[in-house]
Amino acid sequence: MAISVNPHVLDEIKSYGAFDISACFHCGNCTAVCPLSEDGASFPRKMIRYGQLGVKSEILKAKEPWLCYYCAECSETCPRQAEPGEYMASLRRYQIANLDPTGFGKLMYKHSWFALLFSAVTAFILATLLVKIPYGKSPAHWLFGDLVSYSTIHDVGIGLSVLLTTLLIASFFNLIRRSEILVGTSFKKLLKAKMEVLREIGTMKRHAKCHESDERKMPWYIDPRFVHMGIMWGFLMLAMATAFDFLFLYLMPMFVNPIPEWLGAFGLPQVFYPARILGTIGGLIMLWGVSTALYKRLAKSERATEKTRFSDGWLLGYLWVLAITGFWLEIVVTFANKAIINDWVLLIHAAMAMQLVLFMGMTKLAHVVYRPFMLVKHALRNTETHQTGEKQ
Amino acid sequence: MIENNCENNGENNGDSNNISKNNISKNNCDDNSDSTNIRVGVYVCHCGGNISDVICVKKVAEGLANYPNVAISKEYVFMCSDAGQKLIIEDITSGKINRVVVAACSPALHELTFRKALQRAGLNPFLYEHVNIREQASWVHKKEPEAATQKAILLTRAGIEKIRRQEGLENIRVGANKHAIVIGGGPAGMRSAISLADRGLQVSLVESGNKLGGRLLEIDTVYPTNEKAEDILETLKTDIRARKNIGVYLNNEIANISGFVGNFQATLKNGETIAAGAVVMATGNKSYEPFEGEFGYRTQDNVVTMPEFHGILCNIRNNTSTNKDFIHNGKHIQSIAFIHCVGSRQQAETHQPQADGKLNEYCSRICCSTTLQAVNEVKKHFPNVKVFDVYRDIRTYARFTEDGLYEKASKNGTLFFRYTEEQLPTVQGKNITVKDVLTWNEEVTFEAELIVLATGIVPNNITNIVEKLKLPIGADRFLSEAHPKLRPVEVANTGVYLAGTCQAPMDLVESCVGAAAASSKAAIVLGKDHIELDPYVAFVKPEKCDGCQKCLPECSYVGAIFMNKDGKAEVNPALCKGCGACVAVCPQRALDLKGWSLEQIEAMVDAIAEA
């Protein structure tokens, strides 16, 4: 089957990033210089050609955008200033936006004003849901009315998380199951690939290759690899803390008292409570990662962050506000402060956390599903080519 | 035997009188029929070691010192140096010698140097023989110095034998008609006519069409300057009108043409005759005509050639009401595809041969730049039209176009595809399918509402002139120049010069350069009162000729040999190129060549064979 050309697709992709792949004359320098491009996953040139031709179907299912960590070496090497690195980033945005069934993803990615407005409106709606509507009182009281109880917010949040996590796991397996790459793949191979990917997600070893030859190698605390690992591990620790919280505070109390009595003797049982310790450490790590990444994005100080778009900053901004408000609330809870502003902070924190989860499929957060999935796809392909190679 | 043959030299002189009839004069130099009077000076050159490192030059010089008629035999480090030439001049002026043989490098390098030295010493320059003992001995026999030395002696002996039988020759001189015919009124012809007129020559510019301009008339703007083609033409026309010594013949063609340098006669289609001293061929080119069905040409109405596309573009551009829309045949065109190399770089495996059975194997050179120029024009005036460029290779080689044209096209969103000679693109209605190198050789298909074939160029049909003037034609059907570096824009036929694309595919800039060169060469020839030609031509010994006419069909140059009213063969020295074909076939040995006579060659062979 011949590849069909649609010259209008590129115009569409162009609204997701500042690149100029029309200028590409296919010298292949980008692919040659890329530390991650390899047999069975040749990029960025291949993706550039698909973009020029406008082969939407190939672009939407391509794993290559997710194998790239945007070290920007290709953009620096490109003799045509086509910005292949930024193009790869745009493809990630394009995939997320186009695979989002709600259609809001496209709008949020393309127009920062829409992303802002949509975030504000939905935040207001979610916050309103959390305000106990005081029937019988005049509408003037609505704004300054009582919040629903802390436990309700907590319950709603945890319930939502559990639901979405289940859905996420389900859809993740669904994605794998539906993907053609699984044809002829044994469970053993799949397991092996998954382990490989888990290792990669945990350590981001491939990312280390990106800066191997970089003369401007950065100290670890601002190195993109560790910054991203900080955000991710911090996030995961917080997620685990939430899960433990659910486990210890809601499931276990049905059978035993999870907090030893001797702990209560110190007077501050919550501080030493294991889930809280985990959450606090996770929160601090994430705060460092998010703050560093956000600074780099705002300062546009590096080749890879030079072309930062609103959609990149959106996620970081949310995480940063969530981290700050989270710590605020932790302090408040620990010292049992009853100031009215704390209710507002709680409201903001809760609404934004729910937004983050709700918007997952239409924002950059979707990469927590896309990237691992595509890595598995790639790992499977790798074992296949490896095996056929052995046969030959 | 040698001495006897030498005495025959005298009888050749009587034959030269016939030349005067054709406005030609020829003087013979002093007669050296008495062999005792012949004193040959032999000079063996070391060539700074190039020769002497292998060949024992001393042995060569000494070995020849006692050879018959050799008066002096010397060796010297650099004969071509001033000091070396001075040796010869002094020996001549002091009366020691009256023939010179230099055994040195290739005659192509220094024969002329030494001829001029002889001239300065007051000796006829044709009494000189150049023997090549460098390329033919020292360089090729490096490992056998003794044999090389022996070979050098033999070769030099042959040279001595030749020069002993050499009479002094004079260049043939013909009168020059200070009038040039320029055939073809395109930019090259116009440029030539202007240059020739500026040299004070009378010019007849003959154009078959009804106006001057040639293929420049088809074009809207020209690269790399983006000038309007009509503006350039207007300037050329104004220049022509301003020159009273240019006669323009429109709607006219050369019906008949004959003659030789300085003396051509042309008859036009309208019966007029023009006498001219030189002919400038500016017959130009035409666009390749695709065969029916080639990329859908003439079987689909959405397929056009580049000249046709230029016409469409000019039409739309002149029609201001539809300025922003590309409308062709009443349809809004949203996408245009250009296919490169149509009619050029053809290969037996993939291309259909032309009507004459040949393939156009050459690159037409102008199509890449022309196509990208057109692409950029489309994108400039109709930015919403999608443009596809299907190429095999791209070379926008002209100065200022290497980056500019391609750069512009790639920045304005033109989508490029690359095919190889193994599989040409196919056209089916609007669909073009390319096995695309840029897409890792995948088949790629796209729709284009208008398909433009970047047709190459082929020479105009000038068979009549080619046959009449016996002009050399290359395998590509273009006129062949004598030598691209040593004799550019000249052909073997003296007096005919090539201007522009009659010679090879070239762009407007190169055409004008070629035209300027051709007119300069013509002006050099016609600038003197007489034209001097090499004296190495055939001549007839009438008393031996029995009129068998076997020589006539051998001659490649019309009118060079003919039967006179006495029934004997006669040579027109102005037309004869001295190839010797007639000499070889004459059973009576009535024909011979000046400077390369049969007996000279026999004596040279004997000198080598006897040893």
Side-chain angles (χ1 to χ4, degrees):
Chain A
M1 253 291 278
I3 295 170
S4 278
V5 176
N6 181 354
H8 302 283
V9 172
L10 183 58
D11 295 338
E12 168 74 7
I13 304 175
K14 274 184 179 168
S15 57
Y16 290 88
F19 58 86
D20 181 21
I21 59 154
S22 305
C24 168
F25 56 23
H26 301 281
C27 65
N29 274 335
C30 52
T31 305
V33 81
C34 178
L36 298 179
S37 178
E38 56 195 4
D39 275 355
S42 171
F43 63 91
R45 190 186 94 78
K46 195 175 171 184
M47 297 317 295
I48 290 174
R49 189 57 182 167
Y50 276 138
Q52 286 185 336
L53 301 178
V55 196
K56 200 171 173 176
S57 57
E58 288 291 340
I59 292 168
L60 286 184
K61 74 173 183 196
K63 63 187 178 183
E64 282 82 0
W66 302 101
L67 301 179
C68 161
Y69 285 128
Y70 201 171
C71 65
E73 257 186 81
C74 52
S75 291
E76 271 168 22
T77 316
C78 180
R80 306 284 291 170
Q81 289 81 46
E83 295 292 334
E86 176 61 14
Y87 170 69
M88 293 297 276
S90 306
L91 285 187
R92 293 190 283 272
R93 298 177 194 132
Y94 180 72
Q95 276 197 1
I96 293 173
N98 275 271
L99 293 173
D100 164 41
T102 64
F104 289 125
K106 278 184 191 168
L107 293 169
M108 285 183 75
Y109 264 109
K110 280 192 205 171
H111 315 290
S112 46
W113 64 265
F114 180 84
L116 269 173
L117 189 73
F118 188 62
S119 305
V121 169
T122 47
F124 182 77
I125 293 168
L126 283 168
T128 313
L129 284 176
L130 294 174
V131 179
K132 207 190 275 172
I133 298 171
Y135 291 106
K137 287 185 180 173
S138 74
H141 286 262
W142 285 14
L143 258 180
F144 301 101
D146 304 326
L147 287 182
V148 289
S149 70
Y150 170 77
S151 61
T152 314
I153 297 175
H154 204 245
D155 290 352
V156 170
I158 283 178
L160 215 59
S161 302
V162 169
L163 184 75
L164 279 156
T165 311
T166 319
L167 279 173
L168 205 76
I169 291 165
S171 49
F172 182 63
F173 277 96
N174 226 359
L175 263 172
I176 293 174
R177 196 163 51 82
R178 280 194 198 166
S179 167
E180 60 207 50
I181 49 131
L182 279 191
V183 177
T185 306
S186 68
F187 181 73
K188 212 174 136 189
K189 263 195 254 175
L190 186 62
L191 197 71
K192 198 181 154 214
K194 273 190 201 159
M195 292 313 290
E196 213 178 297
V197 171
L198 281 178
R199 237 191 336 271
E200 166 59 17
I201 291 169
T203 59
M204 290 179 70
K205 261 200 169 144
R206 285 176 66 259
H207 197 306
K209 282 201 225 166
C210 283
H211 291 271
E212 252 172 13
S213 58
D214 203 333
E215 287 153 17
R216 289 157 298 167
K217 201 169 161 56
M218 287 164 259
W220 67 269
Y221 51 88
I222 53 167
D223 182 281
R225 177 187 170 201
F226 290 107
V227 167
H228 186 272
M229 275 169 73
I231 301 172
M232 185 198 64
W233 276 116
F235 193 85
L236 282 178
M237 282 158 86
L238 281 165
M240 274 191 280
T242 315
F244 284 151
D245 204 24
F246 180 70
L247 197 71
F248 289 128
L249 291 184
Y250 294 87
L251 296 181
M252 272 174 74
M254 292 178 197
F255 314 105
V256 288
N257 183 1
I259 304 170
E261 277 172 29
W262 58 266
L263 211 59
F266 287 91
L268 294 168
Q270 293 101 325
V271 178
F272 296 102
Y273 166 53
R276 173 153 297 175
I277 293 171
L278 187 68
T280 308
I281 295 170
L284 282 170
I285 294 174
M286 195 181 85
L287 189 61
W288 152 67
V290 171
S291 305
T292 314
L294 199 58
Y295 171 77
K296 284 186 183 188
R297 290 281 182 191
L298 291 173
K300 303 195 174 183
S301 52
E302 283 162 27
R303 195 72 174 77
T305 59
E306 214 172 70
K307 306 210 180 301
T308 291
R309 289 168 73 84
F310 186 80
S311 59
D312 303 312
W314 186 92
L315 176 61
L316 289 172
Y318 260 66
L319 291 178
W320 194 80
V321 176
L322 284 172
I324 294 291
T325 50
F327 278 115
W328 180 304
L329 294 174
E330 193 173 5
I331 293 163
V332 167
V333 171
T334 308
F335 297 102
N337 189 307
K338 299 270 186 220
I340 184 78
I341 187 159
N342 298 337
D343 290 347
W344 282 102
V345 172
L346 176 61
L347 204 60
I348 291 167
H349 184 83
M352 282 177 83
M354 281 188 268
Q355 267 185 316
L356 199 63
V357 184
L358 281 174
F359 292 175
M360 185 165 169
M362 49 185 105
T363 61
K364 195 177 178 173
L365 189 57
H367 81 273
V368 306
V369 177
Y370 282 89
R371 204 182 279 274
F373 172 70
M374 296 300 184
L375 283 171
V376 169
K377 193 170 168 180
H378 181 55
L380 281 170
R381 171 73 175 270
N382 259 359
T383 54
E384 266 168 45
T385 45
H386 188 63
Q387 278 175 356
T388 47
E390 273 176 355
K391 269 179 216 160
Q392 282 161 358
Chain B
M1 180 195 160
I2 289 163
E3 280 76 14
N4 290 344
N5 281 348
C6 281
E7 282 160 18
N8 294 337
N9 287 343
E11 69 183 51
N12 298 344
N13 296 343
D15 305 324
S16 50
N17 298 334
N18 54 25
I19 299 164
S20 53
K21 282 180 235 163
N22 291 316
N23 201 13
I24 298 162
S25 60
K26 181 180 182 304
N27 300 332
N28 274 312
C29 97
D30 50 332
D31 183 359
N32 286 297
S33 54
D34 185 359
S35 76
T36 53
N37 246 346
I38 294 172
R39 300 180 299 279
V40 181
V42 178
Y43 302 87
V44 185
C45 182
H46 296 204
C47 199
N50 270 305
I51 294 168
S52 56
D53 285 353
V54 178
I55 290 168
C56 178
V57 284
K58 204 171 172 196
K59 220 183 220 174
V60 177
E62 282 170 1
L64 294 166
N66 297 323
Y67 202 75
N69 290 101
V70 173
I72 289 173
S73 187
K74 293 176 177 173
E75 26 97 8
Y76 189 69
V77 61
F78 275 119
M79 282 310 294
C80 58
S81 67
D82 278 353
Q85 293 186 46
K86 216 169 155 193
L87 278 180
I88 301 174
I89 293 170
E90 275 168 5
D91 287 343
I92 294 170
T93 47
S94 63
K96 286 181 196 154
I97 55 166
N98 56 13
R99 296 281 195 284
V100 177
V101 173
V102 174
C105 54
S106 158
L109 212 60
H110 279 306
E111 186 176 44
L112 208 59
T113 313
F114 294 113
R115 281 199 198 288
K116 282 180 181 162
L118 262 68
Q119 209 161 18
R120 287 204 299 279
L123 197 61
N124 183 298
F126 294 96
L127 294 173
Y128 171 78
E129 186 60 24
H130 197 97
V131 178
N132 183 355
I133 59 165
R134 192 178 72 175
E135 282 85 342
Q136 293 179 4
S138 71
W139 280 0
V140 285
H141 306 299
K142 271 196 176 117
K143 294 190 176 148
E144 297 154 289
E146 298 231 334
T149 306
Q150 201 50 42
K151 184 175 177 182
I153 293 172
L154 289 179
L155 288 173
T156 316
R157 272 168 61 167
I160 297 166
E161 289 298 343
K162 186 183 174 214
I163 206 69
R164 287 174 72 191
R165 290 159 183 78
Q166 184 61 55
E167 55 172 309
L169 300 173
E170 284 293 317
N171 279 331
I172 297 163
R173 301 173 83 197
V174 296
N177 189 335
K178 299 200 177 295
H179 189 132
I181 306 178
V182 178
I183 308 175
M190 294 165 89
R191 183 73 261 155
S192 286
I194 294 164
S195 300
L196 286 163
D198 284 348
R199 307 264 173 147
L201 297 163
Q202 192 67 37
V203 183
S204 298
L205 179 58
V206 183
E207 164 59 36
S208 60
N210 59 6
K211 51 179 160 178
L212 291 176
R215 293 202 61 199
L216 203 49
L217 291 166
E218 300 167 6
I219 303 168
D220 186 25
T221 57
V222 297
Y223 68 78
T225 50
N226 262 325
E227 284 163 286
K228 279 273 190 195
E230 52 189 87
D231 294 347
I232 294 175
L233 275 181
E234 204 41 58
T235 310
L236 287 171
K237 277 187 203 163
T238 313
D239 284 353
I240 286 175
R241 273 186 232 114
R243 283 160 178 78
K244 295 283 167 283
N245 48 346
I246 302 178
V248 179
Y249 298 81
L250 292 176
N251 291 313
N252 234 313
E253 269 171 56
I254 301 289
N256 201 352
I257 186 162
S258 63
F260 48 86
V261 59
N263 201 354
F264 288 99
Q265 270 87 35
T267 313
L268 300 185
K269 205 173 64 178
N270 65 3
E272 236 175 291
T273 57
I274 302 167
V279 177
V280 173
M281 296 293 289
T283 49
N285 70 85
K286 59 185 176 190
S287 178
Y288 166 79
E289 174 82 7
F291 60 82
E292 194 175 317
E294 185 171 9
F295 299 113
Y297 187 66
R298 274 199 270 143
T299 52
Q300 289 180 203
D301 60 358
N302 65 333
V303 180
V304 296
T305 61
M306 188 54 86
E308 287 165 353
F309 181 72
H310 281 139
I312 295 168
L313 206 59
C314 281
N315 263 342
I316 299 175
R317 300 265 287 117
N318 294 336
N319 185 354
T320 43
S321 63
T322 58
N323 217 0
K324 275 287 158 194
D325 299 313
F326 197 105
I327 293 170
H328 172 55
N329 284 348
K331 270 188 280 182
H332 269 261
I333 301 292
Q334 310 281 2
S335 50
I336 305 176
F338 292 84
I339 301 179
H340 284 244
C341 288
V342 178
S344 305
R345 303 173 69 202
Q346 296 180 324
Q347 294 197 334
E349 295 79 21
T350 36
H351 292 89
Q352 193 170 311
Q354 300 304 297
D356 60 0
K358 283 181 182 166
L359 291 157
N360 295 345
E361 287 173 340
Y362 55 88
C363 162
S364 291
R365 302 177 84 224
I366 59 157
C367 340
C368 286
S369 301
T370 307
T371 305
L372 289 177
Q373 171 80 4
V375 162
N376 292 332
E377 283 291 297
V378 170
K379 274 291 183 184
K380 185 172 152 198
H381 299 293
F382 315 100
N384 295 326
V385 173
K386 293 282 173 195
V387 176
F388 306 101
D389 185 296
V390 186
Y391 69 94
R392 199 169 128 189
D393 291 297
I394 287 189
R395 289 280 184 283
T396 56
Y397 71 98
R399 197 172 174 215
F400 303 126
T401 62
E402 290 101 333
D403 287 337
L405 288 174
Y406 179 83
E407 182 82 14
K408 246 194 208 168
S410 63
K411 295 273 178 188
N412 64 26
T414 302
L415 186 51
F416 289 91
F417 301 87
R418 184 178 191 181
Y419 68 94
T420 61
E421 62 278 15
E422 278 126 43
Q423 195 172 332
L424 303 182
T426 54
V427 175
Q428 279 281 324
K430 283 182 188 176
N431 286 310
I432 300 181
T433 307
V434 188
K435 190 162 184 271
D436 184 23
V437 174
L438 302 181
T439 316
W440 40 100
N441 286 320
E442 289 279 342
E443 276 209 346
V444 171
T445 174
F446 58 94
E447 279 190 6
E449 286 163 316
L450 186 63
I451 297 165
V452 184
L453 308 181
T455 41
I457 64 178
V458 291
N460 269 319
N461 186 359
I462 47 165
T463 321
N464 182 34
I465 304 169
V466 165
E467 277 172 5
K468 296 275 158 54
L469 284 178
K470 295 269 176 195
L471 296 178
I473 293 281
D476 54 5
R477 300 183 226 89
F478 287 92
L479 291 169
S480 289
E481 61 191 347
H483 190 290
K485 295 171 187 74
L486 303 175
R487 293 178 64 193
V489 306
E490 292 178 43
V491 288
N493 320 44
T494 326
V496 180
Y497 304 95
L498 308 180
T501 53
C502 62
Q503 179 193 346
M506 47 178 85
D507 68 7
L508 185 57
V509 177
E510 292 165 320
S511 276
C512 291
V513 170
S519 48
S520 294
K521 289 239 169 121
I524 290 167
V525 165
L526 299 184
K528 295 172 191 157
D529 290 335
H530 289 93
I531 297 164
E532 294 212 336
L533 303 174
D534 271 352
Y536 305 116
V537 293
F539 64 95
V540 183
K541 299 165 190 165
E543 70 282 1
K544 284 190 177 175
C545 177
D546 62 358
C548 74
Q549 302 194 9
K550 280 189 175 148
C551 50
L552 298 188
E554 295 303 319
C555 183
S556 308
Y557 305 93
V558 179
I561 191 161
F562 56 96
M563 303 307 288
N564 63 16
K565 56 183 186 295
D566 303 330
K568 311 246 175 190
E570 194 176 319
V571 174
N572 182 340
L575 289 173
C576 177
K577 298 288 163 214
C579 70
C582 57
V583 178
V585 294
C586 182
Q588 304 301 321
R589 297 187 65 147
L591 277 154
D592 216 339
L593 269 184
K594 302 252 185 208
W596 287 100
S597 69
L598 288 170
E599 55 160 310
Q600 279 180 314
I601 292 165
E602 281 163 3
M604 289 171 82
V605 174
D606 285 347
I608 293 169
E610 271 169 15

